[in-house]
């Protein structure tokens, strides 16, 4: 599931770009980290460590998004 791990293939990536966030922005980097974590889970759903990494990455992305932090 390479597409799941690739944040660039997510609709959210293009939305972030439309709002003016470049690939080097902290928000896009957090979004990409979340997708990498999703890709790890897709490869092994029984890996509880991967789930924790994904939850952390999602939380970081949402906090930055909701907090308006770049």
């Amino acid at each position: 599931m390479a597409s799941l791990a690739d944040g660039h293939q997510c609709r959210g990536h293009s939305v972030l770009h439309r709002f003016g966030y470049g690939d080097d922005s902290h928000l896009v980097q957090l979004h990409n980290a979340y997708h990498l974590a999703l890709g790890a889970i897709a490869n092994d759903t029984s890996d509880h460590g991967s789930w924790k990494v994904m939850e952390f990455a999602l939380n970081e992305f949402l906090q930055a998004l909701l907090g308006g932090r770049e």
Side-chain angles (χ1 to χ4, degrees):
M1 293 207 161
S3 63
L4 191 57
D6 184 0
H8 291 93
Q9 293 186 24
C10 173
R11 183 173 184 223
H13 180 79
S14 60
V15 170
L16 289 171
H17 276 269
R18 275 195 308 244
F19 283 122
Y21 295 100
D23 284 337
D24 61 339
S25 74
H26 183 64
L27 201 55
V28 172
Q29 290 174 2
L30 289 172
H31 178 253
N32 289 336
Y34 170 63
H35 274 277
L36 287 173
L38 284 175
I41 289 171
N43 288 328
D44 184 3
T45 58
S46 67
D47 182 0
H48 297 292
S50 291
W51 282 95
K52 289 179 183 179
V53 170
M54 184 277 301
E55 289 171 349
F56 179 80
L58 175 60
N59 222 5
E60 289 290 302
F61 174 64
L62 291 176
Q63 288 301 314
L65 187 64
L66 295 174
R69 296 182 310 205
E70 163 65 28

